[in-house]
Amino acid sequence: QVQLVESGGGLVQAGGSLRLSCAASGRTFSINDMRWYRQAPGKQRELVAAITNDGNTNYVDSVKGRFTISRDGAKNTVYLQMNSLKSEDTAVYYCRYTVMGYVYWGQGTQVTVSS
């Protein structure tokens, strides 16, 4: 089993920054990839950013140039640095790890951007 604990959400004004963290514990060997998703009220959950075990990254178009995903392998932690935040970034953000083919989700952290 793998446990994921997220932190870093909150309320920020438009144009501001936040950094989300997601720390994994438990059977964390062979992490395949780490992702951040978000879900806004009334909308489907969408993939925001992903990073593979060898460091390759992908982003949804709406956050390219503003968000950066990174990982600390020694700490089994993935980060999402969010800059130039917009009101449309308001959502619950979830991290997701794939470990040996199994998918684990964090509990979610609220990000609210006020305009």
Side-chain angles (χ1 to χ4, degrees):
Q1 282 284 11
V2 174
Q3 296 77 42
L4 303 180
V5 177
E6 301 177 25
S7 59
L11 173 64
V12 64
Q13 288 189 333
S17 298
L18 284 173
R19 189 176 83 151
L20 306 182
S21 300
C22 177
S25 61
R27 300 171 67 87
T28 56
F29 49 86
S30 297
I31 294 174
N32 302 117
D33 69 61
M34 293 169 272
R35 303 182 181 187
W36 287 98
Y37 286 75
R38 67 185 178 188
Q39 188 166 20
K43 294 188 177 181
Q44 288 188 333
R45 191 172 295 189
E46 69 168 346
L47 175 62
V48 176
I51 185 166
T52 64
N53 203 28
D54 54 5
N56 290 321
T57 59
N58 279 295
Y59 301 90
V60 67
D61 286 346
S62 60
V63 308
K64 286 181 180 177
R66 299 189 298 122
F67 290 11
T68 303
I69 188 171
S70 61
R71 59 188 292 269
D72 184 332
K75 296 181 179 180
N76 291 319
T77 299
V78 64
Y79 305 96
L80 186 66
Q81 177 68 44
M82 305 184 294
N83 299 327
S84 302
L85 282 160
K86 305 175 181 180
S87 57
E88 51 263 44
D89 296 318
T90 294
V92 178
Y93 284 71
Y94 299 88
C95 62
R96 192 192 95 160
Y97 280 45
T98 303
V99 182
M100 296 185 69
Y102 291 91
V103 173
Y104 300 91
W105 289 90
Q107 80 282 5
T109 185
Q110 177 70 47
V111 171
T112 303
V113 184
S114 63
S115 56

